[in-house]
Amino acid sequence: MPKYVLALDQGTTSSRAILFDREGNVCASASQEFKQYYPQPGWVEHDAEEIWQSQRAVAEKVMAEGPEGRVGPETLAAIAITNQRETVVLWDRATGKPLNHAIVWQCRRTAPMCDRIRQEGFHPTLREKTGLVTDAYFSGTKIAWLLENVPGARERAARGELACGTIDAWLIWNLTRGRTHATDVSNASRTLLFNLRSLNWDEEILRYFRIPASLLPEVRSSSEVLGDTDLFGASVPIAGVAGDQQASLFGHQCFRRGAVKNTYGTGCFLLMNTGAEIPHSQSGLLATIAWGRQGKTVYALEGSVFIAGAALQWLRDEMKLIQDAAESEAMARAVPDTGGVYFVPAFVGLGAPHWDAYARGTMVGITRGTNRHHVVRAALEAIAYQTRAVVDAMAEDSGLRPEVLRVDGGAARNDFLCQFQADILGIPVDRPATTESTALGAAYLAGLATGFWNDEQDLSRQLRIARRFEPAMEAGRREELYAGFERAVERAKGWAV
Ligand code: ADP
């Protein structure tokens, strides 16, 4: 009788393994950091071999130190994978060795290539077919770069000797000892090569980037048996795969159209379930695949805020206004409001829905009476205002108004922020008991595929909201405050020249 699902959570800075039981409880977990490589300004790389070794090590650790001693492979219902998205690995099919360091999603090396694509007029095609924008962030240009720049890669790829994929595909390949080269639709939808409508690699786009289809993994749903691993001594199915943000949406049980989750970390990542329809954004949000399951594809709108919790880090490290991020809560509560101060942390420009690369951080409304409490409070409020801007854009694009916002991430621990978020959105904010929505979402996808859980209803019995924050602000006040932030954003725009 299987007792657990083992989730592998392969993130940007660490590899983690988490063992979930049938109630969705975390029974054991382990984590290991790995090295970041910055070979040139703006370039970011990982050693794919180290990613695999660290992922394998934490999985073995969790299996060795389970809740009741060693966990036997026969007690695993399935293995689930959730991963840092867009990062690509190119490897040799014969030896399984990477030809190059993995190019990480943050890496800007293909920005000039993206400029060329726009000049050549191919951007509208990419946007229409993939739901994404022409940006170095996504995998397609990174793969094209590898084929262009790794000696011999193009010829060897043409001969079918190489394989390429996002981190999920790399882990699946290694878990199955090279028997399976596959990815799931949610990861495929982040590559800039995947057609949202046909649910296939897009031939026209592959031709444009000169990427042979034989290089790419087979695309499967997010919840099915993709392969088996014998890594733990007996065969265990790999049955759930999703990119980290999509897995988090599933882990939050945002199963219905219009359901939204927000992860408050360094920045914010918002996803809205838009159901069976491919969303079209007028506000620069991304259209992406949330997951594929039981022959159905669920789409999502995605928007991110570049600077959220990072504004608190800046107040701590550069301005020395706080000693740690948690202290911001008491400081914000020490004053009834910001005294008219607005802080727009556009340190690296503004993302959706403004898309202004030239915007820079600003603080307005400062008077002689402004003190550090006001400034700290303004930083927290800014996270909530920026989130509202994305939620409004999602509602506008989809015609769906979310009933509640589900939250996670480091800054979601801040009660003041959660309450202010509810106030400024005018809908409740739900903070689940688990802090593992991402890994849990992947585990759910794997457990549903193998009968460990029956259906979504089965899962909904597990959902535990630790705290609900009800909106308490009067509507007039809410709109007045938000209008002030929008005015402040106008001041921040177009500053850098
Ligand atoms: P990431 O995965 O992006 O590194 P985390 O989810 O670990 O982020 O969250 C870390 C971020 O959350 C940091 O930017 C930090 O400033 C912020 N943060 C952590 N705790 C709090 C808190 N109590 N209040 C506000 N911000 C916080």
Side-chain angles (χ1 to χ4, degrees):
M1 189 70 173
K3 290 164 81 169
Y4 309 108
V5 172
L6 175 63
L8 309 181
D9 181 358
Q10 207 305 302
T12 307
T13 56
S14 68
S15 297
R16 301 171 64 235
I18 300 119
L19 200 62
F20 291 100
D21 67 13
R22 210 176 278 272
E23 278 69 55
N25 298 311
V26 174
C27 296
S29 71
S31 135
Q32 191 173 313
E33 287 194 11
F34 54 85
K35 197 166 155 94
Q36 310 286 316
Y37 295 87
Y38 306 105
Q40 287 188 33
W43 290 33
V44 189
E45 297 181 349
H46 291 157
D47 177 352
E49 202 59 61
E50 190 188 354
I51 286 185
W52 163 239
Q53 293 305 340
S54 60
Q55 192 61 72
R56 181 186 182 146
V58 289
E60 280 169 355
K61 186 158 192 282
V62 158
M63 295 290 283
E65 300 167 8
E68 304 150 310
R70 173 163 280 281
V71 176
E74 70 288 348
T75 63
L76 291 186
I79 288 182
I81 297 174
T82 179
N83 54 287
Q84 54 165 319
R85 305 178 303 172
E86 297 102 9
T87 300
V88 294
V89 188
L90 177 69
W91 69 94
D92 184 323
R93 284 180 184 272
T95 64
K97 295 286 170 234
L99 272 74
N100 197 80
H101 275 171
I103 304 183
V104 178
W105 56 273
Q106 296 151 323
C107 187
R108 303 304 301 171
R109 81 182 62 186
T110 56
M113 195 190 298
C114 291
D115 293 340
R116 270 203 314 278
I117 294 167
R118 285 178 186 276
Q119 280 158 16
E120 288 173 11
F122 199 57
H123 171 70
T125 308
L126 288 175
R127 174 107 179 114
E128 159 64 21
K129 288 184 156 183
T130 70
L132 306 177
V133 293
T134 305
D135 192 276
Y137 180 28
F138 305 105
S139 318
T141 58
K142 298 179 196 290
I143 298 174
W145 189 95
L146 285 168
L147 292 179
E148 199 67 50
N149 291 279
V150 174
R154 188 169 301 287
E155 297 72 35
R156 297 194 62 203
R159 289 200 298 269
E161 294 172 15
L162 305 181
C164 190
T166 40
I167 294 294
D168 54 312
W170 169 243
L171 294 180
I172 293 167
W173 175 277
N174 281 286
L175 284 164
T176 62
R177 301 183 200 270
R179 288 189 301 274
T180 308
H181 186 209
T183 188
D184 91 296
V185 281
S186 75
N187 276 293
S189 75
R190 313 299 299 178
T191 59
L192 207 63
L193 307 175
F194 194 69
N195 189 310
L196 288 185
R197 194 158 292 109
S198 73
L199 301 176
N200 280 311
W201 301 120
D202 188 273
E203 280 176 30
E204 181 189 8
I205 298 176
L206 293 189
R207 227 177 302 122
Y208 179 84
F209 282 120
R210 300 178 65 204
I211 297 173
S214 62
L215 191 64
L216 300 173
E218 182 191 348
V219 184
R220 310 279 291 270
S221 82
S222 317
S223 182
E224 66 175 74
V225 177
L226 288 94
D228 296 278
T229 182
D230 52 11
L231 204 68
F232 306 111
S235 177
V236 183
I238 303 161
V241 179
D244 53 10
Q245 297 306 324
Q246 288 97 327
S248 161
L249 190 69
F250 202 80
H252 276 292
Q253 303 204 16
C254 290
F255 301 140
R256 303 227 321 249
R257 286 178 74 225
V260 183
K261 74 93 193 175
N262 189 13
T263 300
Y264 298 82
T266 307
C268 286
F269 274 103
L270 287 109
L271 261 79
M272 172 191 264
N273 179 330
T274 59
E277 277 151 53
I278 302 176
H280 291 280
S281 177
Q282 306 301 317
S283 357
L285 298 173
L286 304 176
T288 201
I289 294 178
W291 52 78
R293 197 166 88 72
Q294 296 180 321
K296 294 200 184 84
T297 304
V298 172
Y299 294 89
L301 274 170
E302 175 171 324
S304 38
V305 171
F306 299 148
I307 302 292
L312 277 305
Q313 290 170 312
W314 178 75
L315 290 180
R316 181 193 63 192
D317 301 338
E318 311 305 331
M319 296 295 108
K320 316 278 186 210
L321 288 189
I322 49 175
Q323 280 182 343
D324 57 58
E327 192 193 342
S328 64
E329 177 160 356
M331 285 187 66
R333 289 189 198 282
V335 284
D337 52 43
T338 66
V341 173
Y342 285 98
F343 179 15
V344 185
F347 300 161
V348 292
L350 287 168
H354 309 290
W355 293 110
D356 184 345
Y358 301 103
R360 288 296 177 268
T362 189
M363 225 177 282
V364 293
I366 300 169
T367 64
R368 183 62 188 84
T370 299
N371 63 39
R372 59 201 197 106
H373 297 110
H374 296 119
V375 172
V376 171
R377 184 173 173 125
L380 288 173
E381 292 188 356
I383 300 175
Y385 290 133
Q386 292 185 95
T387 294
R388 157 126 183 218
V390 176
V391 171
D392 283 357
M394 287 175 158
E396 178 85 23
D397 284 341
S398 67
L400 302 165
R401 262 275 155 207
E403 288 163 15
V404 42
L405 181 73
R406 297 245 161 95
V407 301
D408 64 8
R413 284 194 295 260
N414 189 311
D415 290 353
F416 169 82
L417 172 60
C418 291
Q419 182 57 52
F420 192 76
Q421 186 70 79
D423 288 343
I424 240 35
L425 283 173
I427 57 171
V429 166
D430 278 357
R431 190 170 62 195
T434 180
T435 52
E436 297 286 1
S437 306
T438 302
L440 184 58
Y444 282 164
L445 289 164
L448 286 170
T450 51
F452 190 61
W453 291 296
N454 293 322
D455 49 29
E456 289 172 3
Q457 234 176 350
D458 205 7
L459 303 180
S460 65
R461 280 192 284 276
Q462 293 182 13
L463 184 66
R464 273 181 289 279
I465 300 300
R467 184 145 176 208
R468 164 166 283 204
F469 298 85
E470 291 285 354
M473 191 180 280
E474 183 255 318
R477 174 80 179 140
R478 172 168 79 227
E479 295 313 315
E480 182 193 354
L481 282 174
Y482 185 60
F485 186 75
E486 288 192 305
R487 281 173 60 217
V489 166
E490 290 309 313
R491 300 291 194 281
K493 282 184 178 173
W495 182 259
V497 285

